[in-house]
Amino acid sequence: MSHAPRPARYLHPVAWWMWALALAAAASRTLNPILLAGIIAVAWLVVAARRADTPWARSFRAFMILGAFVLVVRVVFEVLFGAPLPGTTILTLPEVTMPEWMAGVRLGGEVTLEALVAALYSGLQLVAILACVGAANSLANPTRLLKSVPGALYEIGVSIVVALTLVPAALEHLQQVRDARRLRGRATRGLRANGRIGGAVLTGALERSLALAAAMDSRGFGRLRPLSRAERRITASLMLLGLLAAIVGGYALLDASTSPRVATATLVVGLTLLVVGLIRANRRAVRTVYRPDPWRWPETATVAAGVLALVAFTVAAWVDPVAMLPSTWPLTWPALPLWPFAAILVAATPAWLTPPVPRPMKDAAESVDKPSPGLPVRMAA
Amino acid sequence: MTRTLRPAALRHTGRRALALALVTVAAVTLVGAWGGGTAEAASYRFWSYWVGGGSDWSFSSQGASRRPPDGGVDGWRFAISPDSASAVQPRRSPSFDRICRGTPEQDGQKRVGLVIDFGTTSDAPEGESPPQMLTTCAVVPEDANGYEVLTTVAQLRIDDGMICGINGYPATECGKVVSDPTTSPDDDGDGEQSGNSGDNTGGSGTGGQTSQKNGSGTAGSGEQAGDKSDDQPSDKKRDKNDGKKREQGKSASATPDPEAADQSTSAASALQPTAGAPSSGSPVGLIAGVAVIVGIGAAAFVLARRRG
């Protein structure tokens, strides 16, 4: 890299998602609290360094609050419903034994240190996975992610975005209809009034949808290259078959009674068919992407950092399961597996390797001829 | 309408895609047929808990969190079965009188018969052979549950709230999925092989039987590095037990049950869990790791504050 300050740009959203999902998959390979805490810290660091000044970028905090809630629930459930395995008792709760017709479940009773630590470990794993997903949500721009969606799914993606933007509009319309009714001295409560209001809101939504459809049509949305019927049928059957095989394979992989070899093979075949089908369906699209996001070395480095962590964790779980899944019975201090820990540190490098995010506020304050805060910033593309 | 526009190139790709689809379907079918044989009968290999009643064993919906009554018999069986409802019972009848004949009653304690059936050779993980069946009479506090009864006489390996191993058997696995009871495709369990086979050849005499069994437990669990430090105190306990047993050895008859009962009384006196306090590993690496993570967290905090 040159010594000049790097031009600010958003990293490719797919790179962020791949980094985060690889890190989440790595977290699912271990129950070692040090490694899990490391993953959470790394996710936080990268979010703090590279999140944009946008509403969705605040979602990391929400995910961490959710994580704390999950951790508490996990520990409380262990205390209430955990199996009374022998161990070091630290607390004795009043005990309730359910009657026989409720399977005779025992609630409360002795709380052992071992069970509590095991619950903390598994809760921490959930928190780490949530932190990774939260980081991806916070770092990747959803509208830019939509651009990377394959052409065959573009219409579906646009529908989702349109639906999401129309929800606030519908809520606003609801309020307007209510206010109008109140001004006219009509009831705003009760079944009858709600039916009328609902009808008006629905009519409004329909009108807006038609107007939007007309606007999109006039701009050339949904134009497709004409294809033969055979071509379309092949594409459709490929996608359908692929989806079916992928679902069956995924289920078989989770279901313990199927051999993992068959499950993996079915899943791979299904995904391959799906990809082939998507590529073929892409031919119908005559759409070009406006200002596409570039994929340069920071993107590759980010994905590599995440995948490296995943590989290190998977290999370590296979080679050294004792360190990756520390024993809670008998209770031992968790060891620090060196290589997975080093991989976590590598996974933190996107905090520096990636280009800085554009800051509309700051840029506008520094120079007058930059775009104003509300407008989209020009990409360095 | 598009049929008339159809160019030759598209027709070509269409045929190619059709061929590709056919090939993949064939591949799926082949893979299904190839793997079908192994995927037929999937079962689990696990320790199941049984409640003795009269001459029969029954299944408890509560599991081992149930508190066996004074004069009850608990059973444990390691076997391969599809689910807990069709699990295999211990192979010895739950006769409390026979098991606890030689064990006197004690004030504030209850006597619970215990049958630990390590299963058959065909149910054993590859490279391991099941130890001899263990039948003892445990003397435990009145409110002890099934797990606590078991810990008084056996070393447990517990993972995720499940009893994975008793006296080091099986050595590593836990509730493993096996596709077929006769051909169990295992890739683990090579290090403990020698320890267990040595135990089996030596464990023929009545007197030495139980101590040999415990020895195999150490060989099995000692494989895990994390357990090593915790095996120390339990080893000492075992030595003590052996010493006590040798004192009582003269009165022990040739039948295995009273012998085992002798062992259990001495074990019951050492009810305190051997694996109580956390063992101290190597704290240097641990502290360094925690320090690095705290550093990362602090950096994230500072960055987040600066951004506002």
Side-chain angles (χ1 to χ4, degrees), chain A residues 171-191:
Chain A
L171 286 178
E172 200 183 339
H173 192 216
L174 177 76
Q175 195 56 49
Q176 283 170 358
V177 173
R178 273 223 180 108
D179 289 348
R181 278 185 73 90
R182 197 177 295 125
L183 286 173
R184 286 174 193 142
R186 292 186 189 155
T188 52
R189 279 157 201 271
L191 201 66

Side-chain angles (χ1 to χ4, degrees), chain A residues 34 51 53 84-86 88 95 104 106 114 227 229 234 241 257 261-262 269 273 280 329-330 332-334 336 359, chain B residues 2-3 14 17 24-25 28 31 34-35 42 44 61-62 65 67 145 147 156 226 275-276 279 285-286 293 300 307-308:
Chain A
I34 304 171
R51 74 170 169 80
D53 288 321
L85 291 163
T88 321
E95 193 180 310
R106 206 183 84 162
E114 284 86 351
L227 289 179
R229 184 180 290 173
I234 289 165
L241 211 67
S257 64
R261 264 189 312 182
V262 181
V269 166
L273 280 180
R280 289 181 56 79
W329 209 102
T332 52
W333 282 107
L336 183 76
R359 307 237 167 102
Chain B
T2 51
R3 205 175 301 162
T24 19
V25 169
V28 171
V31 160
W34 164 62
Y44 299 88
S61 59
Q62 275 186 59
S65 56
R67 295 208 164 102
N145 60 35
Y147 296 112
L156 302 191
S279 73
L286 201 68
I293 289 164
R307 294 279 307 272

Side-chain angles (χ1 to χ4, degrees), chain A residues 334-346:
Chain A
L336 183 76
L338 194 63
W339 289 111
F341 190 72
I344 286 182
L345 297 185
V346 172

Side-chain angles (χ1 to χ4, degrees), chain B residues 115 168-169 174 180 220 222 243 258 261 308:
Chain B
V115 176
Y169 180 81
C174 191
D180 188 21

Side-chain angles (χ1 to χ4, degrees), chain A residues 35 60 73 110 149 168 197 217 220 229 237 330 349 373 378 380:
Chain A
L35 294 180
F60 187 71
V73 166
E110 290 174 351
V149 164
I197 292 172
D217 190 46
R229 184 180 290 173
S237 52
T349 51
R378 183 162 166 70

